[in-house]
Amino acid sequence: TALVLANQISLPFHSLTMAPSERNSLSDESLINVALHSQFDQNGKHTLKDKMTPPKVPNASLRRVESLPVMTPKNTHRCRRSPSSSGRHSDSEERQHPTSVKHHRQSSSSSSMAYDDNTLEELWENLRKRKQILGDSHPNVGLTYNHIGNCFFRRDELEAALTAYTAALNVYKNSFGIKTREFHDDPKCSDGSSADGSSSDTSIEYANYPIIALCMCNIGTVQWRTGDLNKAIHSLEESVRIYCRFCSKKDQKPMNMPELSTAWYNLGIAYCLRADFGEALEAFEMARIGFAHSHGPNHVEVARVMEAMGNVYSLRGEIERAIDCHRLALKIKVPELGNSHPSVLCTKMSIAAANRKMLRFDDARSTYIDVLNWQRTNLSKARKAGGGNGKWAKSIVVDIGQTLHFLALVHKEIGALTQAMKYCKEGLEAYAEAELASFDNRLVML
């Protein structure tokens, strides 16, 4: 249900610094948020402490593999996820385990790729040449398939992306001489064993090749984006298991591997969309601990996880715990990203929604107004940068329309019907300016 709602309602608060291609994909951070606000619209409407002292790592200088790569300018924070653009692991990991990942390096920066038709044609031509020279099972062929998957993912062609990621996985398996077998063990066991003491043959066999875990994470993320939640959870659980087995074999602490934390995070998203809220919270907690240890407790990755946990608590009806999580996320985000950043505004909207559920209408109203002011500031900047009412500006106008809708609901709930009608009218005008279709669910709800 959450995924269906997310596809019907556009996600708020796009960044002014994001590449245009990011407009075509849903944010995993916002996906639960949309479900939360949608549930609120239809119904009318824990503080976590770290026991560790993790090293402080500058946010902007971090390099890591993500299950879903980020298309942001250099030296900016990575606040959205998308499939790994290179399929490679961190430099530190390569130094420690050169035999397992040395074939997957590349010299060019994938984050600067433009995912247009020309790029896709170049990638297919590159794939043809690599197959001809290196053979069908060379790791570089798998790397090219992964790039093709990223291109399709950014174009929101998810089925094609899934096909490419699966091809990449099969290439790596053939390259390493691995045969696929079923698995049944518990992903939370760090040594790859299940609760009854048995082990996953697949995870053990893949343990020397963390690139397989990364491919599984990419595939699982696309699967939950397309609503195939059972398969997504299957893929993401296997990704977690492989990473855990890899850490066990190399005598490495799992919390030191950001890639594993990313896999836990995506698994939490999939659990949440399947309404397995308890499992989702457990997965998010594993991701939070990992990111706090590897990146530091005040990193935006930690804030993203806290935001997701807050949304799950809201969906479970534990509103006070949700507010605690959102406030902790906001405390981390504001100093790093600034008050106008879309991720910060998304967190504020979550806090406002939680206050509405608690019938704290004055607090909700003030937060919505604060968000609205920052959205209008962002709109002004977008129009100046784009030279008019371009695609980015229209997207922000839609966000403004949604915020006006929420303001209208707040005033309706407190009996201020005149003010509620005023905000409804302004919201309709915003949607008209953004040229929403008459059947668009946002317009229909307003």
Side-chain angles (χ1 to χ4, degrees), residues 86 88 106-113 147:
S86 67
R88 70 188 184 208
Q106 66 173 13
S107 58
S108 62
S109 173
S110 59
S111 63
S112 61
M113 293 179 66
H147 281 307

Side-chain angles (χ1 to χ4, degrees), residues 180-371:
T180 303
R181 286 192 290 270
E182 291 298 321
F183 58 88
H184 304 283
D185 58 317
D186 184 349
K188 289 187 280 296
C189 296
S190 61
D191 63 351
S193 63
S194 66
D196 61 5
S198 62
S199 297
S200 166
D201 291 337
T202 305
S203 298
I204 293 173
E205 196 170 14
Y206 292 172
N208 289 322
Y209 311 105
I211 189 67
I212 299 292
L214 185 142
C215 289
M216 296 298 295
C217 195
N218 283 353
I219 290 171
T221 305
V222 174
Q223 286 169 334
W224 68 248
R225 287 284 307 279
T226 57
D228 200 345
L229 299 181
N230 291 331
K231 287 186 178 180
I233 290 173
H234 183 282
S235 299
L236 292 165
E237 285 179 346
E238 179 71 341
S239 177
V240 168
R241 270 188 292 270
I242 296 170
Y243 278 133
C244 288
R245 289 294 305 184
F246 176 78
C247 291
S248 178
K249 286 178 69 71
K250 302 301 179 180
D251 196 24
Q252 178 179 343
K253 293 182 178 180
M255 65 182 63
N256 290 333
M257 179 178 276
E259 298 89 343
L260 175 57
S261 301
T262 297
W264 276 119
Y265 178 85
N266 282 311
L267 181 57
I269 295 288
Y271 278 140
C272 180
L273 293 177
R274 203 173 68 173
D276 295 333
F277 299 133
E279 289 83 352
L281 289 172
E282 290 180 10
F284 287 141
E285 177 65 2
M286 296 294 290
R288 184 194 68 84
I289 293 174
F291 283 133
H293 190 272
S294 61
H295 294 351
N298 294 320
H299 195 275
V300 291
E301 291 285 11
V302 178
R304 182 190 287 113
V305 176
M306 295 303 303
E307 176 81 1
M309 293 178 74
N311 287 333
V312 174
Y313 280 127
S314 288
L315 291 171
R316 293 213 312 182
E318 300 179 49
I319 309 304
E320 291 295 348
R321 300 184 78 178
I323 292 176
D324 287 342
C325 289
H326 292 316
R327 285 175 177 168
L328 282 174
L330 189 64
K331 185 178 180 181
I332 296 172
K333 288 182 180 181
V334 171
E336 299 294 337
L337 305 177
N339 279 296
S340 64
H341 194 278
S343 183
V344 172
L345 298 183
C346 188
T347 302
K348 290 182 178 180
M349 290 290 282
S350 297
I351 294 174
N355 281 322
R356 283 181 62 195
K357 283 192 172 182
M358 297 299 293
L359 305 182
R360 300 168 185 164
F361 297 121
D362 289 340
D363 292 339
R365 175 181 175 277
S366 62
T367 303
Y368 283 135
I369 290 176
D370 177 54
V371 170

Side-chain angles (χ1 to χ4, degrees), residues 124-193:
W124 283 117
E125 179 63 17
N126 188 8
L127 178 65
R128 185 190 66 79
K129 291 180 179 179
R130 287 190 173 186
K131 282 186 173 183
Q132 184 178 5
I133 297 172
L134 303 174
D136 292 344
S137 299
H138 195 278
N140 284 342
V141 173
L143 181 65
T144 306
Y145 270 122
N146 203 56
H147 281 307
I148 292 172
N150 295 338
C151 187
F152 281 124
F153 185 90
R154 291 299 183 189
R155 292 153 61 101
D156 207 29
E157 299 177 35
L158 300 181
E159 292 299 331
L162 182 60
T163 300
Y165 290 139
T166 303
L169 176 63
N170 291 333
V171 168
Y172 285 125
K173 288 180 181 178
N174 293 332
S175 177
F176 302 143
I178 299 174
K179 294 182 180 180
T180 303
R181 286 192 290 270
E182 291 298 321
F183 58 88
H184 304 283
D185 58 317
D186 184 349
K188 289 187 280 296
C189 296
S190 61
D191 63 351
S193 63

Side-chain angles (χ1 to χ4, degrees), residues 1-14 23 25-27 30-42 349 395 398-399 401-403 405-406 431 436 439-446:
T1 303
L3 190 62
V4 171
L5 291 170
N7 288 330
Q8 292 176 343
I9 305 176
S10 72
L11 298 175
F13 320 129
H14 294 294
R23 295 296 188 181
S25 62
L26 295 174
S27 160
S30 298
L31 192 56
I32 301 177
N33 221 27
V34 170
L36 175 63
H37 283 294
S38 301
Q39 182 191 59
F40 180 89
D41 292 336
Q42 293 170 359
M349 290 290 282
S395 180
V398 172
D399 299 341
Q402 288 183 282
T403 306
H405 184 185
F406 293 135
Y431 286 155
L436 287 189
F439 55 82
D440 189 290
N441 191 57
R442 292 161 294 185
L443 183 59
V444 171
M445 291 175 67
L446 180 55

